[in-house]
Amino acid sequence: MGPADSWGHHWAGILFSASLFTVWSLPTAAHLIPDAYLLNTIQKALAKPTISVSQGTATEHREKVTFYCDTKDVNITIHWVSNNRPLVFHERLQLSPDGKTLTILTVQREDAGNYQCEAWGARQIQSSDPTFLMVNYGPDPIEIKLESGVLSGDVVGVMEGSNVTFYCFSWFFHNDSLLSLTTRTFSIHAMSREHEGTYRCLVSNSATHLSLLAALKVRVLERLAKPCIVSPSRNLQENANSVALTCQTTHEGDRVQWFLKDQLLLPSKHLVLSADNKTLVIHGLGRNDTGPYECEVWKWGSWARSEPFWLTISYGPDRVDITMGPGSGVVRDVTVELNSSLTLQCRAESQPGAEYCWTLEHSTTVYMVGTLTIAALSWEHQGIYNCTALNPLTRLTHSTLVLVRVVGSQLSWSAGTIAGITIGILTVIVLSTGLGCFLYIINVGW
């Protein structure tokens, strides 16, 4: 091998070493540079955006408002938040292509509140401080309200002498004299005819420079006097032809309505009202038509009702029953021991309460009691007793009979004898005893 070959081998070794160095060193250099770049990108925090607004206070329906979100970051998206909720877009909201400019084209009251913008990066979100938008609006349409009163069309009626409170802001009387400038309420004590007229309420908004005027016409109602019910007679008889009740009032032009037992009276063939409702005619009086009746007058919301009116309707006596005292059933035939006591009670439904008289066949004695008591029965007490009930007003009477048999150690009547007596004299006894009571009643002025 000559010198040339030796130098060739030498440079070949050097080049081979350099090649190895290049091959093994390049990956190391290429790995270090990208890692540093990514580390810087990830650790860089987004800047906090800021909001600017064209005006913090706006008037409803008159102005537009523009918000601008300022941020130095790039490669981000902008999101808007209103009152801590994502902003819902509608036709009145306009957003620029980059999302940084938000415009409310026509401000309304619901647009008031806090606004924020958010900058969204790959892995971070930054929010601005809230900016408050105030929206001035109104006054809205107003309505005058009264604490008490009766509305009829566009007029409110209030009772004479009552205390009334109106609700609003500023008040003008009907002759335009200023009553109050700042109060929301206005009260009048003891309303009178002098207070009748039109009241006006002025509502103003110094920010919007708008004003509204409302008007209310007030009419003072006459306080009605209590009516009264009159009738030709309160003492009436059942099944009489008719009776008329009249509602008397001192007022003219008032309307009348009737109440029966605290319920509105409904006209019928039995209960007939006159054309002006002031007279009530009751046809075919019955015992249940006693009432109470009331009439009520009213005019423009003012009303007054009469005192309850009762009718006294006489009836009866109805069927007469004889018993042996409280708790006993009706008796027609009674058998008792000689020398024992006997109680017979006569009763009949009647209004007013019936008066009673007792008679015994073949005897002229008349007992003017409802309850007949015999302490010690003798043979003379045996026989048929008649009880007659008399209504002192209708003068009507009703009678019934009871057979009393006395039994004892002495000879007594047989059942057949008693039955024969009963059948033979029953009709005569009814007529004669009833007539006897009637004649007795006339003689003693019963």
Side-chain angles (χ1 to χ4, degrees):
M1 179 180 299
D5 293 333
S6 298
W7 281 105
H9 286 289
H10 177 70
W11 285 109
I14 294 173
L15 291 174
F16 177 74
S17 298
S19 175
L20 288 176
F21 179 80
T22 303
V23 170
W24 292 105
S25 298
L26 283 176
T28 303
H31 175 71
L32 290 175
I33 294 173
D35 281 353
Y37 174 79
L38 291 174
L39 182 63
N40 291 336
T41 302
I42 293 172
Q43 290 182 348
K44 183 180 180 182
L46 294 177
K48 184 175 184 177
T50 59
I51 286 184
S52 59
V53 59
S54 59
Q55 51 187 16
T57 301
T59 301
E60 186 181 37
H61 303 307
R62 290 186 185 178
E63 297 173 311
K64 74 175 182 178
V65 174
T66 299
F67 297 91
Y68 180 73
C69 183
D70 187 20
T71 177
K72 297 179 180 179
D73 293 303
V74 296
N75 298 324
I76 58 171
T77 57
I78 303 299
H79 296 263
W80 290 88
V81 176
S82 174
N83 296 320
N84 299 318
R85 292 186 178 185
L87 185 64
V88 178
F89 283 83
H90 48 76
E91 65 275 3
R92 292 186 298 104
L93 294 181
Q94 191 176 76
L95 191 65
S96 62
D98 60 2
K100 293 184 177 182
T101 303
L102 171 67
T103 302
I104 306 176
L105 298 177
T106 305
V107 174
Q108 295 185 7
R109 65 190 68 182
E110 58 266 26
D111 296 326
N114 287 313
Y115 287 81
Q116 292 173 276
C117 69
E118 295 177 345
W120 289 32
R123 298 183 182 181
Q124 297 182 60
I125 297 176
Q126 281 287 357
S127 297
S128 69
D129 291 330
T131 296
F132 187 78
L133 173 63
M134 177 181 291
V135 179
N136 294 325
Y137 60 89
D140 291 339
I142 57 176
E143 180 182 1
I144 301 175
K145 294 184 178 181
L146 271 69
E147 193 174 54
S148 61
V150 179
L151 181 63
S152 177
D154 59 349
V155 180
V156 174
V158 295
M159 189 66 63
E160 185 178 19
S162 63
N163 299 327
V164 177
T165 299
F166 300 81
Y167 291 91
C168 201
F169 289 85
S170 301
W171 289 97
F172 296 85
F173 196 44
H174 61 88
N175 60 1
D176 293 333
S177 59
L178 188 63
L179 292 178
S180 174
L181 288 174
T182 58
T183 58
R184 292 175 178 260
T185 61
F186 169 58
S187 299
I188 299 178
H189 298 280
M191 291 285 290
S192 66
R193 291 296 180 88
E194 297 177 354
H195 296 120
E196 264 190 352
T198 300
Y199 290 77
R200 296 181 178 89
C201 169
L202 178 64
V203 182
S204 300
N205 186 324
S206 59
T208 63
H209 306 290
L210 296 177
S211 298
L212 285 179
L213 183 66
L216 180 68
K217 187 176 182 180
V218 175
R219 180 172 183 176
V220 178
L221 307 177
E222 179 184 8
R223 187 174 292 276
L224 298 179
K226 181 180 291 187
C228 64
I229 298 176
V230 295
S231 172
S233 174
R234 289 199 182 195
N235 296 319
L236 305 165
Q237 187 173 335
E238 187 178 34
N239 298 321
N241 290 332
S242 63
V243 63
L245 307 181
T246 302
C247 184
Q248 287 190 343
T249 174
T250 58
H251 306 281
E252 295 183 359
D254 47 4
R255 302 179 65 180
V256 178
Q257 57 186 6
W258 289 82
F259 292 85
L260 173 59
K261 297 178 182 178
D262 206 34
Q263 299 294 322
L264 184 65
L265 186 145
L266 300 177
S268 63
K269 292 182 179 180
H270 178 57
L271 302 171
V272 179
L273 291 173
S274 62
D276 60 1
N277 276 16
K278 291 188 177 181
T279 301
L280 170 65
V281 179
I282 307 171
H283 295 285
L285 277 174
R287 63 186 63 183
N288 295 323
D289 290 325
T290 54
Y293 297 88
E294 297 169 283
C295 71
E296 184 179 274
V297 296
W298 53 283
K299 183 178 182 180
W300 267 90
S302 175
W303 58 273
R305 186 180 291 194
S306 69
E307 294 293 335
F309 184 87
W310 294 85
L311 290 176
T312 301
I313 301 175
S314 301
Y315 58 87
D318 293 342
R319 185 188 69 182
V320 180
D321 291 325
I322 297 176
T323 66
M324 296 183 69
S328 168
V330 177
V331 295
R332 293 286 183 265
D333 188 329
V334 178
T335 301
V336 289
E337 294 286 337
L338 184 68
N339 295 321
S340 65
S341 64
L342 174 65
T343 298
L344 296 175
Q345 188 174 37
C346 192
R347 63 188 184 190
E349 183 70 22
S350 178
Q351 173 61 40
E355 298 175 0
Y356 302 94
C357 75
W358 289 88
T359 59
L360 174 62
E361 60 174 330
H362 308 309
S363 173
T364 59
T365 304
V366 177
Y367 303 93
M368 304 299 297
V369 290
T371 301
L372 176 64
T373 302
I374 304 174
L377 285 164
S378 64
W379 298 113
E380 289 76 12
H381 293 124
Q382 187 169 237
I384 297 176
Y385 287 79
N386 177 83
C387 176
T388 299
L390 167 73
N391 186 313
L393 287 181
T394 65
R395 309 307 294 176
L396 298 176
T397 62
H398 208 101
S399 299
T400 193
L401 300 173
V402 62
L403 173 62
V404 176
R405 291 182 289 182
V406 179
V407 296
S409 58
Q410 299 185 26
L411 182 64
S412 61
W413 294 355
S414 66
T417 303
I418 293 174
I421 294 173
T422 302
I423 295 172
I425 67 174
L426 182 59
T427 304
V428 177
I429 289 298
V430 171
L431 295 175
S432 62
T433 55
L435 180 61
C437 274
F438 182 72
L439 294 175
Y440 180 83
I441 289 168
I442 292 177
N443 291 334
V444 299
W446 190 36

